[in-house]
Amino acid sequence: MAKNIQAIRGMNDYLPGETAIWQRIESTLKQVLGSYGYSEIRLPIVEQTPLFKRAIGEVTDVVEKEMYTFEDRNGDSLTLRPEGTAGCVRAGIEHGLLYNQEQRLWYIGPMFRHERPQKGRYRQFHQLGVEVFGLQGPDIDAELIMLTARWWRALGIADHVSLELNSIGSLDARASYRDALVAFLEQHVDKLDEDCKRRMYSNPLRVLDSKNPDVQTLLNDAPKLGDYLDEESREHFAGLCAYLDAAGIGYTVNQRLVRGLDYYNRTVFEWVTTSLGSQGTVCAGGRYDGLVEQLGGRAAPAVGFAMGLERLVLLVQAVNPEFKADSVVDIYLVASGDGTQTAAMLLAEAVRDTFPAGKLMTNYGGGNFKKQFARADKWGARVALVLGENEVANRQVVVKDLRSGEQQTVAQSEVATHLQTLLG
Ligand code: ATP
Ligand code: MG
């Protein structure tokens, strides 16, 4: 026998038992997005490699070691998207959506990064991203955070996530901070690990989010980014904090919060949880006013974030088991006897015509009533519809409540209405 071909490591199948909870979570997220007037944008999964190099920055983990890059048959270098912002900005410029316009957009879909797979970290994972263009903030920055806070309430996880906030200022402010930080790090090279030494010149701000506890201790004495902010960024940040205070959204200012990707400025934020082990960042984003111009468009302010759906699903399952997937089947239609299968299939269609929200599964493959009822239980149905030769002859059907065991014979023409009342 041939050897089984297996899925690629870190690229998961999502089986029916899981997709049901994913669907319910996604529909909750989309409903909230709709309530703020945001629109979906759908983008390709593959883009030209230089797009990501230019947008994300050459000296980032993503570009240095995580991208799935390949040559297509024409010899072009293409990359499976590691994130959604670059493609969204590319599309916005290409279709003239950004210049002098407001856009409030969201997208959902798979992203690809070659990382070491572990709980909450995969090679194909899914993000829901939101990007807003044409608004300077900080009011809109605050709205994005309010929107995410509404998500947490809707999913019942609000007590298990907390907001970390920072401003990384303008490009210039960051440049002068960078010099001060590098000068400090140079004095303490002996206390840095290899990763930090490498980043120290290529991308020194990334040293701030080193996970090494010794480095974190050392950083207590390092210059603070907050002391280097330009006046406008300082005001912007104060404005954002005031909006959040007014909205009653708690946050911690974390001066070491920077972002892995180069394109951010001013506002950066993360929603983190302690309920998922070390993969604790559920949602991360910030302002990126320079990116549109950097990718060849006319300058446009922008702010956005991306949420990791695998981590979100894990978190909902861990802390709010009440949030269950909707049932797959409510009604199971069993039939036995001559001519009953045709009658069953037609009755099922008629019920769906009048009661489209009902989830009705028809028994196929025959079997005696006992077998068929066992299948109804297996699918978790609450009600069984039963058709025998008598019922077919009389244009009736037996409606059996599978929880109470009560049953009743009703006219087929009435059954949909009957089910609607029974199932609410
Ligand atoms: P991390 O520090 O965890 O690697 P990141 O800074 O690389 O995160 P972003 O690029 O900001 O992550 O992506 C936004 C969100 O997408 C993350 O907060 C996380 O929830 C999710 N995410 C990122 N990489 C992965 C991955 N490999 N697997 C699952 N989710 C991920
Ligand atoms: Mg990462």
Side-chain angles (χ1 to χ4, degrees):
M1 223 168 64
K3 199 168 160 230
N4 286 348
I5 295 173
Q6 297 193 320
I8 296 166
R9 200 162 104 84
M11 302 201 177
N12 299 318
D13 301 308
Y14 297 77
L15 305 179
E18 293 160 84
T19 52
I21 184 92
W22 276 72
Q23 283 187 9
R24 182 154 178 228
I25 290 176
E26 285 173 11
S27 72
T28 305
L29 300 174
K30 290 176 190 174
Q31 190 274 322
V32 169
L33 286 162
S35 78
Y36 286 80
Y38 288 43
S39 308
E40 185 184 9
I41 183 165
R42 297 195 186 187
L43 303 158
I45 284 170
V46 187
E47 298 272 0
Q48 304 205 38
T49 304
L51 173 69
F52 298 115
K53 291 197 172 166
R54 263 165 78 182
I56 298 171
E58 298 268 1
V59 195
T60 53
D61 285 350
V62 171
V63 171
E64 276 182 340
K65 45 191 189 197
E66 296 175 359
M67 294 206 302
Y68 280 92
T69 297
F70 61 96
E71 241 181 47
D72 80 351
R73 287 172 192 278
N74 306 328
D76 297 329
S77 178
L78 306 183
T79 293
L80 299 184
R81 62 182 185 191
E83 53 93 64
T85 305
C88 187
V89 171
R90 194 263 316 136
I93 296 170
E94 194 169 325
H95 301 286
L97 303 181
L98 305 185
Y99 181 62
N100 251 342
Q101 293 183 64
E102 278 177 32
Q103 297 292 346
R104 295 166 172 79
L105 307 173
W106 62 269
Y107 51 82
I108 191 167
M111 306 293 162
F112 303 84
R113 297 185 192 179
H114 196 278
E115 304 195 67
R116 193 169 68 76
Q118 53 198 290
K119 183 183 171 199
R121 190 176 294 285
Y122 311 98
R123 290 181 173 173
Q124 174 172 333
F125 61 101
H126 297 77
Q127 285 184 341
L128 193 161
V130 175
E131 317 286 355
V132 174
F133 298 96
L135 297 169
Q136 299 278 355
D139 47 5
I140 188 70
D141 307 19
E143 178 173 280
L144 290 186
I145 291 170
M146 288 161 75
L147 184 158
T148 50
R150 184 172 293 278
W151 277 344
W152 316 145
R153 293 197 298 276
L155 296 170
I157 59 172
D159 294 340
H160 301 269
V161 286
S162 56
L163 176 62
E164 301 206 348
L165 204 59
N166 195 19
S167 174
I168 56 172
S170 64
L171 217 65
D172 286 347
R174 226 157 43 246
S176 55
Y177 174 67
R178 186 176 313 205
D179 294 343
L181 181 64
V182 172
F184 171 84
L185 294 174
E186 278 173 339
Q187 285 166 7
H188 301 276
V189 204
D190 51 315
K191 299 193 189 94
L192 296 178
D193 56 37
E194 285 313 309
D195 231 24
C196 291
K197 280 184 199 157
R198 201 170 52 81
R199 285 173 176 175
M200 184 170 123
Y201 295 108
S202 56
N203 194 349
L205 261 62
R206 290 308 306 280
V207 175
L208 295 182
D209 66 5
S210 159
K211 306 232 155 58
N212 182 334
D214 297 337
V215 174
Q216 283 299 330
T217 313
L218 171 68
L219 288 172
N220 289 333
D221 303 321
K224 301 271 176 291
L225 182 49
D227 298 334
Y228 288 77
L229 291 191
D230 51 297
E231 194 47 39
E232 286 89 353
S233 295
R234 221 183 276 280
E235 272 169 29
H236 188 105
F237 193 59
L240 170 60
C241 293
Y243 284 120
L244 295 178
D245 293 340
I249 294 177
Y251 53 87
T252 312
V253 177
N254 175 357
Q255 292 244 16
R256 291 188 196 158
L257 184 65
V258 291
R259 303 286 309 124
L261 317 183
D262 261 2
Y263 49 62
Y264 289 97
N265 67 308
R266 291 194 178 166
T267 310
V268 292
F269 68 89
E270 283 190 0
W271 284 97
V272 296
T273 178
T274 52
S275 310
L276 289 183
S278 52
Q279 265 50 255
T281 307
V282 176
C283 177
R287 188 155 272 286
Y288 53 95
D289 297 321
L291 183 61
V292 175
E293 196 170 23
Q294 190 183 315
L295 291 181
R298 291 212 245 176
V303 59
F305 66 83
M307 173 163 59
L309 291 174
E310 280 77 7
R311 292 184 195 178
L312 182 70
V313 171
L314 284 169
L315 183 60
V316 171
Q317 287 173 327
V319 306
N320 185 14
E322 307 281 281
F323 193 94
K324 287 217 170 59
D326 296 330
S327 61
V328 180
V329 175
D330 298 324
I331 311 153
Y332 195 88
L333 175 45
V334 307
S336 182
D338 268 356
T340 57
Q341 188 65 13
T342 313
M345 290 163 72
L346 297 183
L347 177 63
E349 291 300 306
V351 169
R352 293 185 190 110
D353 287 343
T354 358
F355 182 25
K359 297 170 183 169
L360 191 168
M361 181 179 275
T362 309
N363 183 76
Y364 289 104
N368 58 27
F369 278 128
K370 191 170 166 231
K371 257 204 184 122
Q372 296 192 35
F373 274 109
R375 291 182 194 139
D377 280 341
K378 186 182 152 239
W379 285 103
R382 287 174 53 192
V383 177
L385 298 181
V386 190
L387 278 181
E389 287 170 23
N390 278 343
E391 284 76 23
V392 172
N394 301 330
R395 308 204 124 270
Q396 291 178 320
V397 58
V398 175
V399 180
K400 180 170 182 182
D401 185 323
L402 293 171
R403 305 228 168 123
S404 65
E406 272 170 46
Q407 62 179 57
Q408 201 182 340
T409 304
V410 303
Q412 288 186 9
S413 56
E414 301 290 312
V415 71
T417 338
H418 195 78
L419 287 167
Q420 232 155 339
T421 347
L422 208 63
L423 295 168

